[in-house]
């Protein structure tokens, strides 16, 4: 994220489903996503691929117009 900031982008980082109660996983929209032009998500950040799949599906449901850049270093998700 520092490289994006260095290029002049405003970056807001979410604590994710591990660090906080995630509104998306609770079936609600997310305030952080509402202002975003694009989301960047590391699919393996939680170490739980199925949880990542659920989160991405929820993001697409509640925020269908915000593009998601999915990072999955070394592993390609089957979904």
């Amino acid at each position: 994220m520092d490289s994006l900031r260095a290029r002049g982008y405003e970056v807001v980082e979410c604590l994710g489903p591990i660090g906080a109660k995630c509104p998306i996983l609770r079936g609600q929209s997310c305030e952080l996503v509402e202002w975003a032009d694009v989301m960047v998500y590391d699919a393996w950040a939680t170490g739980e691929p199925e949880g990542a799949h659920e989160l991405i599906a929820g993001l697409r449901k509640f925020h269908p117009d915000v593009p998601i850049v999915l990072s999955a270093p070394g592993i390609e998700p089957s979904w």
Side-chain angles (χ1 to χ4, degrees):
M1 296 300 146
D2 290 337
S3 61
L4 291 172
R5 285 186 184 101
R7 287 174 175 79
Y9 292 98
E10 182 179 354
V11 177
V12 176
E13 294 180 67
C14 172
L15 294 176
I18 290 178
K21 292 185 178 185
C22 177
I24 296 293
L25 295 179
R26 289 192 325 249
Q28 303 169 342
S29 66
C30 176
E31 287 182 24
L32 291 177
V33 180
E34 289 176 4
W35 70 266
D37 293 322
V38 65
M39 294 177 279
V40 178
Y41 182 70
D42 179 354
W44 306 114
T46 64
E48 185 182 346
E50 286 307 310
H53 183 232
E54 182 181 347
L55 179 62
I56 296 298
L59 287 167
R60 286 184 175 146
K61 175 183 176 184
F62 289 104
H63 305 283
D65 296 331
V66 181
I68 301 171
V69 175
L70 183 62
S71 169
I75 301 172
E76 185 173 330
S78 60
W79 40 270

